[in-house]
Structures are given as structure tokens and as C-alpha cells.
Amino acid sequence: MPSQETAAQPDREIHYASRGSSHYDVILAVFCVVLVVSNLAATKATEFGSGDLSLGPVQIWPVISDGGAVLFPLAYILGDVMSEVYGFKAARRAILVGFGTAIMTFATFLVVMALPGASFYENQEAFESVVWSGLQIVAASMIAYLTGQFLNSWVLVRMKARSAEPGLFRRLAGSTGVGEAADTLIFCAIAASAIGITTGGQFVNYVVVGFVFKCAVELLVMPVTMLAIRALKNREPSYWA
């Protein structure tokens, strides 16, 4: 029988939905696609602005990033949704499935690269260049992804264990900061040379811009994320059970 304190404060109970639902399946599928597409897009370095502005050894301008930054923040948003609604085990499953799909994607590219090209095919060198740089990107992404996503999910779930239902914004913001910091630093350290970053100033620019941009995107859309989480909680019959 629940205690009087629990009965008087139902919002202090910790709830999670069962991952055996169609909603979880859809989120998992989108999560995997986002990860694979982000890895492919990350093989292209991007630069915004003209001129050259440095503060000591650190390059301030132009801003350096990679194509993966366009979509990758969505992976953390979906990770937050799964961790908050379905719990750490469900998020862990999604992280591992996403890891497997990314490995399978680039294993396929390696096989295709080794196959003989048609007599009229003229892009073998370009294809090999993208695949070989993509392998370094994938290695960087997988190590960073596993570290960052697990930290993101673990921090969110631990914070929820302390606050229960209240404090959703704090959980999302706190877990995002920890996860993105680890992810960005590890990814940039391994992938920098693959996209042509050669100086310390460029590297600092790459890390700082990546972290700030990803966190800014997540914070900007956080009201939508919170609405989606609350709607999903109410649509999952097992959540409040």
C-alpha cells in the first residue's frame, strides 16, 4: 500500500513506459536514420564567414564545423525523449541498435568500394576518398556517440530519480550539457584530421562551435521537446500505470 506521502504527491513517483509500443519503434527508427545520415554528412567540412580573425593561437573567425552538425542534435533530442519516457534500458537499446546500423552502413560502403567499377564509371577516386575519410569519421562518431549518449541518458535518468516528474527542463538541459560536451570533444579529437583541420586554433574553434551550436539547437527546440514528451507520456497507456 502506498504511503500517505506518496498518495498525497503522485508527481513524486517515478514513471516509465514499456518499450513494447509502436511509438518507441518509430522513435528508434528515426534515431538510427539520424545517426547514419549525420555520419555521412560529417565527411564534409564547412566554414562560415570570410576573413581571418584570431585571438592568440585560437582562430575565432571564420567559424568551422562539419555537415553532421545540421542533423546530429536531433539524435540527442530523441535520446532525451526515450530516456525520459521509456527509461535507461530502452535508451541503451536504441544507442546500441544505432551503433549497429552505422557500422553496417560503412561496412557496406567498403564492400562496394572494393567491387570493380563499370567501364563508364568515372567517380571511383571520389568514392574512395569519401569512404576512407568516412571510416575515420565513423570511428570518431561511434566512440563519441557511445560515450555522449550513455552519459546523456544516465544523467537524465539519475536526475529523474531525484526529482521524479517535476524538473523536466533541468533534466533535459543538464543531460544535454554533459552528453554534448563529451561527444563533441571526443569526436573532434579523432575526426579533425579527416576533414582537414591542421592547427590548434582551428581545432579549438571546431570544438567550441560544435558544442555551442548543438546545445543552442537543443535549447531552442526544448519547448517543443517538452511538449512532445508530455504528449507521449499521455499517449502511452503503460506510462502512468
Side-chain angles (χ1 to χ4, degrees):
M1 178 177 294
S3 66
Q4 291 182 351
E5 180 181 356
T6 302
Q9 297 180 335
D11 62 340
R12 304 302 298 181
E13 296 177 358
I14 301 172
H15 298 273
Y16 290 110
S18 168
R19 63 174 179 254
S21 77
S22 59
H23 295 108
Y24 176 78
D25 293 343
V26 171
I27 297 172
L28 173 61
V30 176
F31 182 82
C32 292
V33 171
V34 167
L35 181 64
V36 170
V37 174
S38 295
N39 283 332
L40 295 174
T43 59
K44 178 179 178 178
T46 59
E47 188 175 87
F48 302 94
S50 58
D52 188 9
L53 175 63
S54 299
L55 182 62
V58 179
Q59 179 178 321
I60 305 299
W61 196 264
V63 172
I64 299 173
S65 185
D66 62 70
V70 173
L71 193 60
F72 193 70
L74 182 57
Y76 273 81
I77 293 171
L78 294 173
D80 285 342
V81 172
M82 286 187 287
S83 299
E84 173 68 24
V85 179
Y86 300 99
F88 182 76
K89 289 184 178 180
R92 180 179 62 192
R93 170 172 287 195
I95 293 167
L96 294 177
V97 172
F99 180 88
T101 57
I103 296 298
M104 181 181 65
T105 299
F106 278 90
T108 302
F109 286 159
L110 282 174
V111 173
V112 172
M113 183 180 70
L115 294 176
S119 58
F120 54 82
Y121 184 68
E122 301 178 352
N123 299 316
Q124 181 65 21
E125 290 186 4
F127 186 84
E128 290 181 2
S129 175
V130 172
V131 170
W132 285 124
S133 64
L135 286 176
Q136 187 173 343
I137 295 292
V138 167
S141 179
M142 291 300 94
I143 297 172
Y145 159 82
L146 287 175
T147 305
Q149 284 285 3
F150 274 124
L151 280 174
N152 180 72
S153 180
W154 184 82
V155 169
L156 190 149
V157 170
R158 293 303 301 167
M159 291 180 72
K160 185 172 182 177
R162 296 173 67 91
S163 66
E165 289 300 312
L168 177 57
F169 179 85
R170 292 193 300 273
R171 290 196 294 277
L172 296 177
S175 61
T176 291
V178 173
E180 289 288 14
D183 186 293
T184 304
L185 182 59
I186 294 172
F187 177 82
C188 292
I190 301 174
S193 61
I195 67 171
I197 291 177
T198 57
T199 69
Q202 290 176 335
F203 177 76
V204 173
N205 183 310
Y206 188 33
V207 173
V208 173
V209 169
F211 174 73
V212 172
F213 174 79
K214 293 171 185 176
C215 289
V217 170
E218 292 198 49
L219 289 173
L220 184 64
V221 302
M222 195 164 290
V224 178
T225 304
M226 294 174 68
L227 287 174
I229 287 174
R230 288 170 180 148
L232 190 58
K233 287 178 178 179
N234 292 327
R235 288 177 177 271
E236 285 286 8
S238 61
Y239 186 82
W240 299 107

